[in-house]
Amino acid sequence: MTTKPVLADPAPARAAADPWWKGAVIYQIYPRSFADSNGDGIGDLAGITARLDHVAGLGADAIWLSPFYPSPMDDFGYDIADYRDVDPIFGTLADFDALVARAHALGLKVTTDLVFAHTSDRHAWFAESRASRDNDKADWYVWADAKPDGSPPTNWQSVFGGPAWTWDARRGQYYMHNFLASQPQLNVHNRGVQDALLDVVRFWLDRGVDGFRIDAINFSMHDPDLRDNPPAPPSNKVRTRPFDFQQKIYNQSHPDIALFLERIRALTDQYEGRFTVAEVGGENAMREMKLFTEGERRLNSAYGFDFLYADRLTPQLVREAAEGWPDAPGVGWPSWAFENHDAPRAVSRWTPEGVDRADFARMKMALLCALRGNIILYNGEELGLDQVDIPFELVKDPEALKNWPLTLSRDGARTPLPWVADRVHAGFSDAEPWLPLGAGHGALAVDRQHADSESMLSLTRRLIGLRAAHPALRRGRNANWVAEGDLLAFDRVGEGETVRCLFNLGVAPIDAKALAAGGTPLVALNGAEPAMLPPCGVLWLQMEG
């Protein structure tokens, strides 16, 4: 049983000199699953526009739109056939312009996905490139001759399973793909390819886009010498794909990626207040994130999979991730996500046995809102949605289909949002949705939580408001870490204030008297009080002096 939370009243405060994105709350929208305006069971841009007041009401600074470009949808939009248009299932460019206008009217910035490591095999660039070895775009993708025995040029493996090379009889060569065979690898070493991609950036900047999330950017350049990857060292981790058996040294992470990012940054800096954030995964993610955000000539921020793929939330995980981004000259600014379209819902991954899932969801949101850096909320996270178990016959995720049952379907985190509890399909659509809604998600619908002052949605609004109101929380540095057993504690310090943040990530009460001494509660959740943190207990304390 929970007690009524204690939350101080927020009062907005932001230093005028700060860029809007410094410490921002960014709300990720997965367009297929957000809101359907035309009754075809698939979310669309007009549906997003109609529901943007919900996002603005959270206190978010920006939205991030997952891909909405023309695509055969082999990887649900991350296989782009045209970088400069909108897929008809999502609407038109006019619908996109209306979305941007409405977002800006509500005070929301708009960031979109850039997928520059690969295109769809339906892209006009690839059609021209594969036609011959001597046309204008012959070197725009990664092509290579077979080995003398006809086998692929290297031993590189794709993320989704199987070799990273597919034979193409038109050219009599193999083409490379780090993901699906229908996602051919762009040759971003080629200056002409870079120029074309920069033209794409300019196209969307000119339409009013405020920033970009750059997808899988560490996959964008390969080793031109086509050297084989060495085998991965022995590990206790379960290996479900050939990809897991290699050290990914030569098929990705080429040092020249950082130089291309400098070209992107130089372009976005020509437009006032624009923002760039990289997605970086893999064993060397921290090194690459720092490299891609180093100094003032590369990207503004980066995020990895520290939390997205973690099967447990521990104090040590949080401390190690945060301390990887010290407040020091030349070190970039981090972004953090606990959930997204590629990872199972965190409440389903992390809630310990015997702990109330709703209590854990409140604690998790308070922790995310306390972190130094930008924070990214995935649509539905503010409602406390859990992972949906999608039966195999309804699975759409290509990675899950290739590796079933050892790869958990990403579809379970991509299910439609519940808007109105008592309407068909919880108000997402009048038609059968492309994926089923979660069985218990109707009870968590926006309309019910909006009217409940103690709901997860109401709590999220208050936490985001407090984060905006306290400069120490939005922009301050970290100090005084404690990560002992299930206790996590740290201070956020800046602009003359200190906010101490205490969390119990375990199932037994923790004595908090010593750490809470001298503090006035801003937040007390799940029965927490200065003397004691119950399971999932949270305290944010304004410290004296």
Side-chain angles (χ1 to χ4, degrees):
M1 187 170 181
T2 60
T3 58
K4 187 172 181 178
V6 174
L7 295 105
D9 290 325
R14 184 190 303 179
D18 283 340
W20 68 263
W21 52 264
K22 197 75 176 277
V25 176
I26 301 171
Y27 185 90
Q28 182 193 354
I29 293 175
Y30 192 70
R32 295 182 72 90
S33 298
F34 195 68
D36 173 23
S37 72
N38 62 0
D40 64 357
I42 299 173
D44 47 48
L45 296 184
I48 294 170
T49 302
R51 295 290 190 179
L52 282 176
D53 55 340
H54 167 72
V55 184
L58 289 173
D61 299 282
I63 60 171
W64 150 30
L65 297 173
S66 290
F68 50 82
Y69 314 102
S71 167
M73 300 295 164
D74 291 348
D75 193 21
F76 293 97
Y78 286 91
D79 49 325
I80 296 173
D82 184 348
Y83 284 113
R84 298 175 182 235
D85 207 347
V86 174
D87 194 285
I89 66 170
F90 298 129
T92 65
L93 277 172
D95 291 325
F96 179 81
D97 293 340
L99 187 158
V100 172
R102 177 60 178 160
H104 287 170
L106 290 169
L108 291 167
K109 304 293 186 181
V110 177
T111 64
T112 62
D113 253 323
L114 298 178
V115 186
F116 282 176
H118 52 259
T119 69
S120 166
D121 60 359
R122 311 283 183 87
H123 199 292
W125 295 350
F126 188 68
E128 185 174 348
S129 185
R130 80 192 313 182
S132 70
R133 299 192 187 192
D134 57 4
N135 64 75
D136 289 344
K137 293 184 174 59
D139 194 33
W140 278 39
Y141 291 82
V142 182
W143 296 95
D145 292 332
K147 289 181 177 179
D149 62 359
S151 60
T154 71
N155 70 348
W156 302 345
Q157 299 293 313
S158 70
V159 173
F160 289 169
W165 297 96
T166 290
W167 177 257
D168 187 87
R170 295 167 182 82
R171 285 188 45 143
Q173 287 183 304
Y174 283 93
Y175 68 85
M176 179 188 169
H177 51 89
N178 274 308
F179 297 91
L180 295 173
S182 57
Q183 293 171 296
Q185 183 77 18
L186 280 166
N187 181 16
V188 184
H189 289 287
N190 185 310
R191 188 80 172 187
V193 172
Q194 291 189 17
D195 290 343
L197 295 176
L198 291 173
D199 284 343
V200 170
V201 175
R202 188 177 292 105
F203 175 85
W204 294 106
L205 288 170
D206 288 341
R207 296 198 90 89
V209 167
D210 301 288
F212 303 98
R213 176 259 191 191
I214 306 179
D215 180 74
I217 192 60
N218 55 331
F219 282 91
S220 63
M221 290 188 192
H222 66 294
D223 170 36
D225 293 332
L226 302 182
R227 287 171 283 186
D228 281 348
N229 280 332
S235 170
N236 292 328
K237 292 184 178 179
V238 176
R239 293 173 172 175
T240 63
R241 310 160 296 177
F243 184 78
D244 301 328
F245 287 81
Q246 295 183 353
Q247 298 181 58
K248 276 69 74 173
I249 294 176
Y250 296 118
N251 63 311
Q252 63 181 78
S253 305
H254 193 278
D256 286 354
I257 294 172
L259 302 181
F260 174 50
L261 297 182
E262 290 182 5
R263 297 193 72 198
I264 294 177
R265 175 67 183 272
L267 173 57
T268 58
D269 278 354
Q270 296 174 23
Y271 296 74
E272 185 177 357
R274 298 315 196 253
F275 169 65
T276 50
V277 57
E279 178 206 37
V280 183
E283 291 88 349
N284 297 309
M286 180 58 75
R287 180 187 66 80
E288 292 184 302
M289 285 190 288
K290 287 185 176 180
L291 179 68
F292 295 164
T293 59
E294 185 178 57
E296 298 298 325
R297 297 177 60 191
R298 297 177 181 172
L299 302 186
N300 299 120
S301 187
Y303 78 92
F305 291 78
D306 308 80
F307 299 109
L308 291 169
Y309 286 170
D311 57 5
R312 290 182 62 231
L313 179 65
T314 67
Q316 293 73 25
L317 172 67
V318 179
R319 178 174 183 172
E320 288 174 10
E323 288 192 323
W325 294 90
D327 185 9
V331 177
W333 183 257
S335 292
W336 306 105
F338 288 174
E339 301 181 4
N340 75 5
H341 63 289
D342 280 333
R345 293 281 186 182
V347 289
S348 297
R349 279 184 286 130
W350 289 346
T351 304
E353 187 175 350
V355 169
D356 182 79
R357 186 167 283 182
D359 287 351
F360 191 90
R362 284 187 282 270
M363 185 271 292
K364 174 182 70 71
M365 184 62 72
L367 173 57
L368 181 62
C369 289
L371 294 178
R372 175 185 177 269
N374 304 326
I375 61 171
I376 303 171
L377 269 66
Y378 179 49
N379 54 207
E381 192 171 2
E382 76 280 15
L383 305 177
L385 298 189
D386 58 1
Q387 183 80 358
V388 179
D389 184 15
I390 306 293
F392 180 75
E393 61 270 18
L394 296 179
V395 168
K396 306 291 197 304
D397 176 15
E399 182 178 12
L401 290 171
K402 279 181 172 289
N403 296 291
W404 189 270
L406 294 178
T407 296
L408 180 67
S409 169
R410 295 176 295 175
D411 295 337
R414 298 176 175 183
T415 56
L417 255 67
W419 291 100
V420 183
D422 296 330
R423 283 190 56 186
V424 62
H425 306 306
F428 166 74
S429 176
D430 294 331
E432 189 71 24
W434 76 286
L435 284 174
L437 275 84
H441 287 186
L444 300 174
V446 171
D447 69 325
R448 286 194 177 174
Q449 296 206 37
H450 179 76
D452 181 358
S453 63
E454 297 184 35
S455 68
M456 182 68 195
L457 175 58
S458 295
L459 173 65
T460 301
R461 291 172 178 152
R462 298 295 295 277
L463 290 170
I464 291 173
L466 285 166
R467 178 181 170 89
H470 290 271
L473 287 170
R474 185 172 177 109
R475 302 177 295 275
R477 61 183 174 86
N478 294 323
N480 301 324
W481 284 95
V482 178
E484 298 174 355
D486 294 320
L487 173 65
L488 174 67
F490 55 88
D491 290 349
R492 299 295 311 284
V493 182
E495 300 188 35
E497 70 169 351
T498 297
V499 177
R500 179 159 295 166
C501 304
L502 309 179
F503 305 88
N504 181 353
L505 305 189
V507 297
I510 295 175
D511 186 335
K513 289 192 291 293
L515 286 170
T520 301
L522 295 172
V523 172
L525 300 181
N526 298 328
E529 54 189 34
M532 187 268 294
L533 289 173
C536 297
V538 176
L539 288 172
W540 287 4
L541 303 159
Q542 183 109 46
M543 304 305 292
E544 297 175 359

